[in-house]
Amino acid sequence: EIYQEALRLVPRVDDERGWHVRILHKVGDIAMRRVDWRRALSVYREIRDLSPGDERARLTLMELLHRLNQPRHALKELDELIGIYRDEGRSARVFAVLSDLVSRWPDAVPVRARLAQAHLNAGNQEEALEHLDRLGDMQLEAGQVEHAGATIRAIIALKPPNVEKYRQLLGQL
């Protein structure tokens, strides 16, 4: 109730947007503690709209969308956050966020694919190969043969030392 009253008073301060975002974070935190995911989702979407570069809001929003079984929306938020990082030249944050998400959501094929692509874009061939190999395994396990084939072709293009093994696997597919 106090935070709702504070939100009504925000238009009276100089840094209206900043205070609005700070107070909404408090409201969102309370909703999270109460396990009121829908309310928290609404609050963090409002924060995102007011402050698109708010990393904490974006990450919390992704987590909420993941919990609410809305993976496409979570990936959209992730892609937008990655875009912001790239625009700001913060590639280290791209790797940090993606690595954290891969460790928390190890079965999330699209997140692993984004991490592999980020490593490819940065020229980190060994790391890219590691993630592409795991990605291909995950795609095969999920029955995504066409996607696995594309991943194996990407691995072959990198010419790893055991490239023949991948060519044989691609032939089997």
Side-chain angles (χ1 to χ4, degrees):
E1 290 174 14
I2 297 295
Y3 287 129
Q4 293 303 324
E5 179 63 26
L7 285 172
R8 285 190 286 278
L9 297 173
V10 164
R12 298 181 186 178
V13 298
D14 290 336
D15 182 19
E16 184 177 338
R17 180 174 288 192
W19 276 103
H20 200 115
V21 167
R22 279 182 245 162
I23 294 167
L24 284 173
H25 269 293
K26 299 291 187 186
V27 172
D29 289 343
I30 290 170
M32 292 289 285
R33 280 190 228 127
R34 290 183 175 172
V35 193
D36 185 354
W37 305 136
R38 300 270 179 218
R39 172 73 176 131
L41 184 65
S42 171
V43 169
Y44 284 103
R45 280 184 170 150
E46 187 175 351
I47 295 170
R48 179 215 44 215
D49 293 343
L50 287 169
S51 182
D54 188 315
E55 179 178 349
R56 181 174 158 219
R58 292 274 185 170
L59 293 173
T60 304
L61 195 51
M62 281 187 294
E63 183 66 35
L64 284 165
L65 289 163
H66 184 75
R67 287 181 186 178
L68 293 169
N69 199 25
Q70 297 181 29
R72 285 193 174 116
H73 295 292
L75 289 173
K76 181 179 178 280
E77 292 296 332
L78 176 60
D79 290 339
E80 289 177 10
L81 183 60
I82 289 170
I84 290 169
Y85 290 150
R86 285 193 181 127
D87 292 347
E88 295 174 352
R90 298 173 59 197
S91 60
R93 279 307 293 158
V94 171
F95 291 114
V97 167
L98 288 171
S99 295
D100 179 58
L101 289 175
V102 163
S103 68
R104 287 192 293 137
W105 306 335
D107 298 328
V109 171
V111 176
R112 173 117 16 213
R114 282 161 176 76
L115 181 55
Q117 187 62 53
H119 281 295
L120 282 172
N121 293 345
N124 304 333
Q125 185 170 335
E126 286 184 36
E127 292 87 351
L129 280 169
E130 176 185 327
H131 290 290
L132 285 170
D133 189 57
R134 178 66 186 121
L135 177 63
D137 289 342
M138 293 168 69
Q139 291 166 329
L140 287 172
E141 290 168 9
Q144 301 172 346
V145 178
E146 287 182 34
H147 292 289
T151 300
I152 294 167
R153 282 189 283 285
I155 293 170
I156 291 169
L158 294 173
K159 298 179 180 140
N162 56 349
V163 70
E164 198 53 44
K165 172 185 137 189
Y166 291 104
R167 284 189 180 126
Q168 288 174 354
L169 179 58
L170 186 60
Q172 292 171 0
L173 292 181

